[in-house]
Amino acid sequence: MKDEKEKERLDKVLSNNGFGPRKSVRKLIRSGAVSVNGRTELLPDAHVNVSLDKICVDGQEQRIIRHVYLMMNKAAGYVCSTKCGEHKTVFELLDEKYMGKFLGGTVASVGRLDVDTEGLLVFTTDGALNHFLTAPKNMIPKTYLVRLRDSVSEEGQARYTEKLAEGIHIEAEGSEEAADCLGAQCEWNTPSECKLTIYEGKYHEVKRMFLALGNEVIYLKRLSMNGLELDASLPPGQYRELDDEEIARLAAR
């Protein structure tokens, strides 16, 4: 069954792998330039297994890409939508090769970060993984570095930590209603800096949580999502593909 799911039309595979529109790809195939497992294939609608079959064009073996998985260190000043008149978008930072359609679909961000929030942002064509990571019922852990306007005493830190763990009530903001947050884990680095792990993704959630405690977030950076940690060597605004081990950690259930 799995092998059947991996099979795709040859013209679709090559079209979504950078060889142009289907019409051009069909001509390419009929010209005899394409081989599958060492045999010339002249039928554009021939089905191939993208995981197992060796597909060559003009003698060059092709790396067939079904899904793309990217990690970006999002910089402040960028929004996570595809279009925005007031701010630049994170998609403007991606190479043109990632903006086409792949076998698995088009590249989308996994959730969003606010315009002034930095850190880990994942992009993928894998819709099933995207849904898993963003569905509220799955309670995916996300850890943030938080810097606060006001320093917090040791006694205050203990109070913050306890209230956050219990699940804090946040007030309405704009069109977003007031809500009760799930419990969150807080670890203090300094009197004005901590790491906070949350399990949902309400609008401006981290900022609203600390506002409810009488403080203000002045810097916010996402450090991890599920089992995937931000690559500390990535400068703000830069990105790279995930390796198989990182994808497995991100998808761990």
Side-chain angles (χ1 to χ4, degrees):
M1 290 295 292
K2 183 177 180 181
D3 285 352
E4 289 299 317
K5 290 180 181 179
E6 291 287 336
K7 288 187 176 181
E8 300 279 2
R9 283 178 56 119
L10 181 58
D11 55 355
K12 177 183 177 182
V13 169
L14 293 179
S15 179
N16 287 301
N17 214 56
F19 284 90
R22 292 275 191 104
K23 185 176 181 180
S24 299
V25 169
R26 292 186 189 110
K27 289 182 179 179
L28 178 70
I29 295 170
R30 293 189 181 110
S31 75
V34 180
S35 68
V36 179
N37 297 326
R39 299 181 62 178
T40 300
E41 179 57 73
L42 299 175
L43 298 176
D45 62 351
H47 280 69
V48 294
N49 187 308
V50 296
S51 296
L52 300 177
D53 292 334
K54 179 181 178 181
I55 302 170
C56 295
V57 177
D58 292 327
Q60 297 295 315
E61 185 173 357
Q62 301 300 306
R63 178 194 173 207
I64 305 302
I65 301 173
R66 177 177 291 278
H67 285 306
V68 169
Y69 303 89
L70 305 173
M71 169 199 297
M72 175 183 285
N73 182 1
K74 179 188 172 295
Y78 289 83
V79 294
C80 294
S81 59
T82 54
K83 294 181 180 180
C84 183
E86 184 178 353
H87 299 283
K88 294 181 179 180
T89 85
V90 291
F91 290 92
E92 295 177 45
L93 299 171
L94 298 181
D95 190 276
E96 187 177 349
K97 69 180 180 180
Y98 293 115
M99 300 311 295
K101 188 173 182 181
F102 295 84
L103 282 176
T106 55
V107 170
S109 65
V110 178
R112 297 187 175 191
L113 293 176
D114 298 337
V115 62
D116 58 347
T117 301
E118 301 179 3
L120 178 63
L121 183 63
V122 174
F123 297 84
T124 186
T125 56
D126 190 337
L129 177 61
N130 200 331
H131 176 74
F132 166 68
L133 292 170
T134 55
K137 67 178 182 180
N138 294 326
M139 297 175 59
I140 299 299
K142 296 170 284 288
T143 300
Y144 293 81
L145 177 68
V146 182
R147 291 184 188 140
L148 300 170
R149 178 195 61 201
D150 302 326
S151 294
V152 183
S153 66
E154 289 187 7
E155 182 180 347
Q157 290 174 31
R159 180 174 62 85
Y160 276 35
T161 301
E162 181 180 359
K163 287 186 174 296
L164 290 165
E166 290 173 350
I168 200 163
H169 179 80
I170 54 177
E171 298 298 333
E173 180 179 336
S175 61
E176 299 296 318
E177 296 181 353
D180 293 320
C181 296
L182 295 176
Q185 280 72 57
C186 184
E187 297 180 12
W188 292 89
N189 297 332
T190 72
S192 60
E193 182 181 281
C194 64
K195 290 180 181 178
L196 185 74
T197 300
I198 62 174
Y199 298 88
E200 52 192 341
K202 291 182 171 62
Y203 179 74
H204 287 177
E205 183 173 5
V206 175
K207 296 174 182 177
R208 293 162 73 190
M209 291 167 82
F210 282 98
L211 188 63
L213 292 168
N215 214 324
E216 180 182 346
V217 174
I218 60 173
Y219 178 79
L220 190 61
K221 180 177 183 178
R222 185 155 66 191
L223 302 177
S224 67
M225 176 189 294
N226 214 11
L228 179 68
E229 295 184 358
L230 176 66
D231 183 342
S233 69
L234 273 180
Q238 298 297 306
Y239 63 94
R240 64 167 175 80
E241 293 189 12
L242 298 180
D243 61 34
D244 290 343
E245 183 181 342
E246 289 172 327
I247 295 169
R249 292 204 302 268
L250 184 63
R253 296 171 185 259

